[in-house]
């Protein structure tokens, strides 16, 4: 009879202490309003553990999202896998791997979805919306706090200032809308978001405004927003967020809502036309508040060939 050594028992216990959570970043953009599906009063993304009964990671994720929100998942793609020991809220005896997915939907929120579950993603990152110019929170709060953080260690001061200026676009640096995760991570490192204070077990300090989330869910949401902002420049994923028929202004507003910046109207329309992304439906929209506007739809050939150019 084979005996199990102490090392084997320890290894088995360690394997049992590792589990995987499936987390969904499900995005919609109704009326040019970028929203993300949440649970528990906006503090958590839909999620649940990967179980033996799940046929696959994706089927497990779909099960959890529908159970928690009543909303079916359509288009999804794997986003990122997080396994940082120092960012987990679990006890030290249990290691959790977070496998996140990005989902897009053009459907109206389901009537089964509890009210308030769809949250504007700028509630979580108020410094990211530059559609009407740079938010005051950057110059009034974030930049002074980051300069103070840089001054705390003189040997790292220049490096910290360089990173902060590059992320938030000050000291003559350009704002890059894709750096959503880098900005959040910098604020976390500087101890300026509540999640960082909570993780370190420190006393309450003044943090940067923004809706907080449980565990590392705001970090995962930042990853999803950054990924989507990058993808809309080279792949037509915005198709997944639009109704079957739309005006070009509605399309432009959706792109601007996701990117957090405005685009030049004529250049945008010229680019859409050059890439042959849409076709007229032959109908007009009277819901523009002014003159009726032509309704368009995405060309089926584009929908079938996802690798064509996006809206860069």
């Amino acid at each position: 009879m084979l005996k199990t050594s102490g090392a084997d028992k320890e290894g088995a216990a360690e394997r049992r202490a590792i589990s995987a959570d499936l987390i969904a970043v499900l995005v919609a953009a109704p009326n040019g309003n970028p929203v993300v599906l949440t649970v528990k009063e906006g503090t958590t993304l839909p999620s649940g553990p990967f179980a033996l009964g799940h046929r696959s990671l994706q089927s497990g994720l779909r099960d959890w999202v529908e159970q928690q929100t009543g909303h079916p998942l359509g288009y999804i793609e794997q986003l990122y896998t997080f396994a940082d020991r120092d960012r987990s809220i679990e006890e030290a005896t249990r290691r959790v791997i977070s496998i996140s997915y990005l989902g897009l939907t053009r459907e109206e929120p389901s009537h089964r979805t509890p009210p308030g579950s769809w949250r504007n993603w700028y509630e979580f990152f108020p410094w990211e919306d530059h559609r009407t110019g740079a938010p005051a929170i950057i110059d009034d709060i974030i930049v002074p706090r980051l300069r103070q953080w840089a001054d705390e260690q003189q040997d790292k001061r220049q490096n910290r200032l360089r990173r902060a200026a590059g992320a938030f676009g000050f000291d003559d640096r350009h704002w890059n809308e894709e750096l959503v995760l880098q900005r959040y991570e910098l604020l976390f490192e500087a101890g300026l978001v509540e999640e960082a204070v909570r993780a370190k077990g420190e006393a309450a300090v003044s943090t940067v405004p923004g809706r907080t989330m449980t565990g590392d869910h705001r970090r995962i949401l930042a990853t999803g927003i950054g990924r989507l902002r990058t993808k809309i420049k080279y792949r037509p994923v915005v198709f997944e967020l639009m109704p079957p028929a739309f005006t070009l202004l509605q399309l432009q507003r959706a792109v601007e809502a996701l990117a957090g910046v405005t685009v030049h109207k004529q250049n945008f329309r010229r680019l859409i036309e050059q890439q042959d992304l849409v076709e007229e439906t032959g109908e007009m929209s009277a819901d523009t508040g002014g003159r009726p506007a032509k309704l368009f739809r995405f060309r089926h050939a584009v929908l079938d060939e996802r690798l064509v150019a996006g809206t860069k």
Side-chain angles (χ1 to χ4, degrees):
M1 181 176 177
L2 293 176
K3 293 184 178 180
T4 303
S5 68
D8 290 338
K9 290 181 179 179
E10 290 179 4
E14 184 175 351
R15 287 190 293 272
R16 286 195 299 270
I18 297 176
S19 62
D21 271 356
L22 308 174
I23 303 174
V25 179
L26 183 59
V27 176
N31 302 316
N33 180 37
V35 295
V36 61
L37 187 60
T38 66
V39 295
K40 299 180 181 179
E41 299 182 347
T43 62
T44 307
L45 296 169
S47 59
F50 180 57
L52 292 176
H54 291 143
R55 180 177 56 82
S56 65
L57 292 172
Q58 290 195 6
S59 67
L61 181 74
R62 293 179 189 277
D63 287 347
W64 282 119
V65 172
E66 293 198 25
Q67 285 181 35
Q68 294 175 359
T69 71
H71 197 289
L73 275 183
Y75 169 88
I76 60 172
E77 64 177 61
Q78 191 163 338
L79 182 60
Y80 200 79
T81 299
F82 299 86
D84 303 38
R85 184 190 298 273
D86 60 341
R87 299 287 285 263
S88 174
I89 61 171
E90 301 293 337
E91 297 178 0
T93 56
R94 181 170 177 258
R95 187 72 177 272
V96 178
I97 298 174
S98 298
I99 305 172
S100 59
Y101 285 81
L102 174 65
L104 308 176
T105 179
R106 67 166 62 98
E107 300 176 9
E108 291 295 324
S110 169
H111 67 278
R112 294 181 296 165
T113 303
S117 296
W118 289 94
R119 301 276 183 172
N120 187 308
W121 71 27
Y122 293 122
E123 293 180 26
F124 303 93
F125 309 100
W127 53 86
E128 291 292 341
D129 190 359
H130 287 237
R131 287 174 292 178
T132 58
I137 186 177
I138 294 181
D139 285 339
D140 294 348
I141 300 176
I142 293 178
V143 172
R145 296 294 300 277
L146 287 177
R147 290 190 186 279
Q148 180 181 353
W149 169 67
D151 290 339
E152 290 174 358
Q153 292 191 4
Q154 288 299 313
D155 59 328
K156 298 181 179 180
R157 181 176 181 277
Q158 289 303 318
N159 178 264
R160 286 182 171 184
L161 278 177
R162 177 182 54 80
R163 291 168 54 209
F168 283 93
F170 62 91
D171 285 351
D172 298 324
R173 300 292 291 274
H174 176 70
W175 172 264
N176 184 342
E177 69 275 7
E178 297 177 18
L179 303 181
V180 187
L181 177 60
Q182 290 86 334
R183 283 186 281 273
Y184 176 75
E185 291 283 47
L186 188 66
L187 293 176
F188 188 100
E189 182 183 345
L192 299 180
V193 291
E194 186 176 319
E195 291 90 338
V197 177
R198 192 167 59 210
K200 297 174 182 176
E202 298 176 346
V205 298
S206 176
T207 56
V208 172
R211 180 182 289 274
T212 61
M213 303 188 84
T214 187
D216 238 4
H217 282 215
R218 190 153 56 142
R219 180 193 192 192
I220 294 171
L221 177 56
T223 306
I225 296 173
R227 169 76 65 84
L228 189 53
R229 285 182 170 183
T230 300
K231 289 178 72 66
I232 62 175
K233 295 181 179 180
Y234 66 91
R235 288 187 62 189
V237 292
V238 70
F239 294 176
E240 307 290 345
L241 300 170
M242 300 299 296
F246 49 85
T247 67
L248 292 182
L249 182 59
Q250 288 174 329
L251 178 62
Q252 178 181 337
R253 292 289 182 260
V255 171
E256 291 175 335
L258 299 176
V261 295
T262 57
V263 298
H264 188 276
K265 179 178 179 180
Q266 296 306 320
N267 289 346
F268 178 80
R269 297 193 174 195
R270 187 180 305 113
L271 193 58
I272 294 297
E273 181 179 335
Q274 290 173 350
Q275 294 180 350
D276 204 19
L277 297 177
V278 299
E279 61 187 8
E280 296 183 18
T281 65
E283 299 178 352
M284 305 289 286
S285 171
D287 299 330
T288 60
R291 294 175 55 187
K294 292 181 180 180
L295 284 172
F296 292 80
R297 59 177 169 242
F298 290 108
R299 293 179 56 246
H300 292 291
V302 177
L303 293 174
D304 294 336
E305 299 172 7
R306 299 289 183 180
L307 296 181
V308 300
T311 54
K312 188 171 185 178

